[in-house]
Amino acid sequence: MQQSLIDTPAGDAAPAPAPRATSKGIAPGDIVQVDKKGRRFHALVTELDQQDSGRFELCLRPLDSRVSYRTATVREVVEVWRKARRSG
């Protein structure tokens, strides 16, 4: 009776990463590109707030001081660069 299609070493498996907070996998410390009303900018995610409707709102710190937006929805996020986790 065959148990598996390929042989895998049992001791080399890396631990599973911790689950991310939202559907796009955004967490505090990540850098995101946001498209808000046609204006695109990069920002650091400082906090995640879940509204009563279940949707997430991101609290942001824009990397460009000329941008005044401090919040965004997950739908307005165009791209995500995740904060690297230390292993060990």
Side-chain angles (χ1 to χ4, degrees):
M1 181 181 233
Q2 185 175 354
Q3 297 294 324
S4 154
L5 294 176
I6 58 172
D7 292 329
T8 57
D12 292 344
R20 306 293 281 188
T22 67
S23 62
K24 283 195 173 184
I26 303 168
D30 292 348
I31 298 210
V32 292
Q33 182 181 24
V34 178
D35 185 339
K36 193 142 178 121
K37 298 181 181 179
R39 181 165 185 192
R40 287 193 180 201
F41 61 94
H42 293 91
L44 176 69
V45 177
T46 58
E47 188 179 337
L48 291 164
D49 293 328
Q50 189 169 14
Q51 301 171 344
D52 294 334
S53 64
R55 293 185 181 195
F56 282 91
E57 186 175 78
L58 308 173
C59 295
L60 305 173
R61 191 175 79 210
L63 300 182
D64 186 348
S65 62
R66 298 172 294 176
V67 176
S68 61
Y69 295 114
R70 298 289 185 253
T71 60
T73 63
V74 174
R75 287 183 175 193
E76 293 171 324
V77 172
V78 178
E79 204 165 346
V80 179
W81 291 273
R82 291 179 173 77
K83 181 178 180 179
R85 293 183 176 259
R86 287 189 170 178
S87 60

